Amino acid sequence: MITLNQSDIRFMQAALPLSEGLRELFAKLVSAKNKKLIPDEISSELSNLCEERLATHGFDDYNSPTEEGRKLEELIDKLDTE
């Protein structure tokens, strides 16, 4: 299980093309008072979505990571290693 914070969830809601199931899960997590736990199989799906977004929106014209790119890299690391 992966633990996400409110900021991570809000960022992914805004930046990623989430399926209806993921949108519903995130809506429940946002309203939950306890830890925001994500099952491993869903963390893998979220990591893939972050990687796709990173490839298309994560770098500027000089191939330097943008602010969004740095956040996506941080999330990929969190989703893949926890």
Side-chain angles (χ1 to χ4, degrees):
M1 298 285 263
I2 305 296
T3 303
L4 297 175
N5 61 41
Q6 198 83 319
S7 173
D8 295 337
I9 292 168
R10 295 249 186 241
F11 175 83
M12 286 190 281
Q13 284 177 310
L16 301 179
L18 301 173
S19 67
E20 184 63 32
L22 286 175
R23 282 195 295 272
E24 289 174 10
L25 173 65
F26 279 10
K28 290 176 186 174
L29 291 174
V30 166
S31 64
K33 301 250 186 242
N34 55 355
K35 287 187 175 183
K36 316 306 190 214
L37 296 174
I38 303 291
D40 291 339
E41 60 274 1
I42 293 177
S43 68
S44 177
E45 181 180 353
L46 290 171
S47 179
N48 290 339
L49 289 171
C50 287
E51 288 172 2
E52 290 171 10
R53 178 74 180 188
L54 179 64
T56 59
H57 292 83
F59 299 95
D60 64 18
D61 293 337
Y62 303 102
N63 285 327
S64 296
T66 60
E67 184 176 333
E68 180 179 3
R70 286 188 291 278
K71 179 63 177 174
L72 289 163
E73 288 174 335
E74 175 186 308
L75 283 169
I76 291 165
D77 288 344
K78 182 182 249 187
L79 292 165
D80 287 343
T81 60
E82 281 194 16

